[in-house]
DNA sequence: CTATAGAGTTACTCAATAGTAACATACTAT
DNA sequence: ATAGTATGTTACTATTGAGTAACTCTATAG
C-alpha cells in the first residue's frame, strides 16, 4: 500500500503540473498570448487558484528557470567528473543538453531567459545563464590545454554552442519529422569534424 | 543641387524610419512590451500617424520580414553564382549572413518570424523561412555531390546552421565586447573543421 | 468531533494599449 | 490662388487580462 501523499507533496505536485502546462502553452502560443485563465483551465481550476501557487504570471518563468537550472547543472556535474579529455566532456554535454531541450520546462526557460520585466528577476536570470556559460567555457579551456580541442576563443565557442543547441529547443517537437537520435548524431558529427567533405 | 524628394520617396523613407525604430525597440524590450505610443514617440509623432504607414502593429513585423527576406535572398543570390564548390558557397553564405544579422530589421525578423497572430501572415512567414532553408539545403546538396561537404543530412545541417547564426542575432550588439571579425572567423573555423584539437 | 488552515470559487477593479472618429494644417498640381 | 489630398493631431472607445476581495467548502490535526 502506497503511503498517501502529504499536503506538502501534493502542493509540490500541483505546482509542477502548473509549470508544465504553462511552459507548454508558452512554447506553443507565446508568453503574452497565453493568459492565466488559459493556464488555469488546463488544470480545471480558476485563475485565482494559481495565485495560491505562484506570486504572479512572471513568477512562472522564474520557477521554470529554477527547475531548468537544477537539471542542467546536475547534467553538467555528471559530465564533468573526470573524463579522458575536455573534448569528451564537451561531447557528453552536447548529448546531455539535447536530451534535456525536449522537455517543456527547459524549453520554456531557454526561450524566456533574461526577459523578465522585474529588474531583479531579469538580472538574476542573466547571471544564471552567464554562470552556465562559464562552466562550459571552463570545459573548453580544459580541452584546449590537453589538446583535445582546437585552440580557439572559448567565450565565442561557448556562446555558439548554446546558440545552436538552444535553437533546437525552439523548433524540436517529439512528434515532428526529425528523429532525436539522428539529430544528436548530426550535431556531434558537425561539432567533431565540421562540414568539410 | 539635389532634387527634392517626391512625396512617394518621403513616404517610403518615413516608413523605413518607423520599421527601423520599431525593430530596435522590439529587440530591446520585446514586441509586447513595446507600445505603438513608444514607437510613435521615437519619430516625434503620435500613434494615429503610424496608421498612415502601417495597417496595424503586427504589420510592422510583416513589413520587416519583407525587407529582411529581400536582403537575405539577394545575398544568397550573390553567393550562389557559380563558385568553385558547394562548400565555398556555404562559406560565403555564412559570412554574408553574419554581416546581415547586425541589422535591427533583420534581427527583428529573425526573432519574430512565424509568430504572427494573423493566421495568414503566420503561415506566410513560415513558408518564407522554409524557402530560405530550402535554398541552403540545395547549396549543401551541391557540396555533398562535389565532395566539398561531408555526406550528411542536409535538412538537419541547414536547420542547425540557421539556428547558430540566428542565435547570434539575439545577443550581438555592435557596441558589445565581441568583435564581429573575430566572431565570423570563429564561426567559419568551427564550421570548417569542428572543435577537435 | 470540531477548530483551523488549506484549497478553491465568484465577482469584481484597474490599467494598459490597440485601434478609430473627427477634426486641423500643410503641400502640391493645376 | 485654391481645390483637394497627404499628413498629422486630440480625444475617444473597447477589450483584454492581471491581480484582489470576500466568500465557501473540505480535510486533517489535536
Amino acid at each position: 500500500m502506497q503511503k498517501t501523499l502529504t499536503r506538502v507533496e501534493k502542493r509540490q505536485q500541483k505546482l509542477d503540473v502548473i509549470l508544465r502546462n504553462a511552459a507548454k502553452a508558452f512554447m506553443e502560443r507565446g508568453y503574452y498570448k497565453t493568459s492565466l485563465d488559459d493556464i488555469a483551465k488546463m488544470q480545471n481550476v480558476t485563475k485565482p487558484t494559481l495565485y495560491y501557487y505562484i506570486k504572479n504570471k512572471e513568477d512562472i518563468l522564474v520557477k521554470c528557470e529554477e527547475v531548468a537550472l537544477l537539471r542542467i547543472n546536475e547534467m553538467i556535474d555528471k559530465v564533468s567528473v573526470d573524463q579522458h579529455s575536455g573534448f569528451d566532456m564537451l561531447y557528453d554535454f552536447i548529448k546531455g543538453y539535447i536530451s534535456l531541450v525536449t522537455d517543456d520546462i527547459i524549453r520554456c526557460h531557454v526561450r524566456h531567459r533574461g526577459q523578465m520585466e522585474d529588474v531583479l528577476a531579469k538580472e538574476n536570470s542573466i547571471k544564471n545563464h552567464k554562470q552556465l556559460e562559464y562552466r562550459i567555457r571552463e570545459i573548453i579551456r580544459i580541452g584546449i590545454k590537453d589538446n583535445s580541442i582546437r585552440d580557439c576563443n572559448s567565450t565565442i565557442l561557448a556562446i555558439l554552442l548554446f546558440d545552436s543547441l538552444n535553437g533546437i529547443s525552439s523548433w524540436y517537437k517529439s512528434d515532428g519529422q526529425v528523429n532525436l537520435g539522428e539529430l544528436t548524431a548530426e550535431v556531434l558529427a558537425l561539432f567533431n569534424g565540421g562540414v568539410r567533405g
Side-chain angles (χ1 to χ4, degrees), chain A:
Chain A
M1 187 67 186
Q2 182 85 14
K3 176 182 170 294
T4 57
L5 298 168
T6 70
R7 271 189 176 166
V8 180
E9 284 167 334
K10 267 158 97 177
R11 193 184 162 76
Q12 183 58 44
Q13 270 195 354
K14 285 192 183 168
L15 175 60
D16 280 350
V17 173
I18 291 172
L19 295 186
R20 223 150 262 297
N21 281 329
K24 195 177 171 205
F26 290 166
M27 289 309 292
E28 279 168 5
R29 270 164 290 162
Y31 179 77
Y32 287 97
K33 277 174 248 173
T34 305
S35 73
L36 287 176
D37 281 320
D38 292 336
I39 296 168
K41 259 176 220 144
M42 298 172 86
Q43 273 96 223
N44 297 313
V45 294
T46 56
K47 180 173 55 169
T49 301
L50 298 180
Y51 283 85
Y52 195 72
Y53 298 91
I54 56 166
K55 253 190 18 236
N56 50 44
K57 189 179 184 184
E58 197 162 278
D59 191 38
I60 297 176
L61 297 183
V62 174
K63 286 190 160 52
C64 280
E65 177 155 311
E66 279 167 19
V67 174
L69 286 174
L70 262 171
R71 296 191 55 191
I72 296 171
N73 272 308
E74 187 179 271
M75 186 269 291
I76 300 180
D77 289 344
K78 237 176 244 161
V79 306
S80 294
V81 288
D82 48 11
Q83 297 243 8
H84 303 310
S85 67
F87 181 88
D88 290 336
M89 292 186 209
L90 201 53
Y91 199 86
D92 283 351
F93 163 72
I94 293 173
K95 274 201 279 189
Y97 202 82
I98 292 180
S99 74
L100 282 181
V101 295
T102 56
D103 179 280
D104 281 330
I105 291 183
I106 312 270
R107 295 172 72 214
C108 177
H109 156 65
V110 164
R111 172 149 161 197
H112 298 96
R113 77 184 146 85
Q115 302 193 15
M116 295 83 179
E117 291 191 68
D118 182 88
V119 180
L120 234 79
K122 179 176 179 166
E123 277 171 7
N124 210 42
S125 178
I126 291 172
K127 207 185 65 198
N128 282 331
H129 183 71
K130 283 233 173 82
Q131 185 59 36
L132 278 188
E133 240 173 53
Y134 177 80
R135 294 193 72 182
I136 299 311
R137 226 155 60 217
E138 277 309 294
I139 291 180
I140 294 170
R141 288 221 186 88
I142 292 171
I144 295 174
K145 253 190 203 139
D146 68 23
N147 280 314
S148 62
I149 291 176
R150 174 171 51 77
D151 190 19
C152 64
N153 182 321
S154 61
T155 305
I156 292 183
L157 180 55
I159 294 176
L160 289 176
L161 199 52
F162 270 109
D163 276 353
S164 45
L165 298 180
N166 288 340
I168 294 173
S169 83
S170 67
W171 57 264
Y172 185 81
K173 284 184 186 70
S174 49
D175 56 350
Q177 358 23 2
V178 178
N179 169 272
L180 193 64
E182 196 186 353
L183 172 63
T184 309
E186 282 292 345
V187 175
L188 290 173
L190 174 64
F191 165 76
N192 186 34
V195 303
R196 272 283 188 207

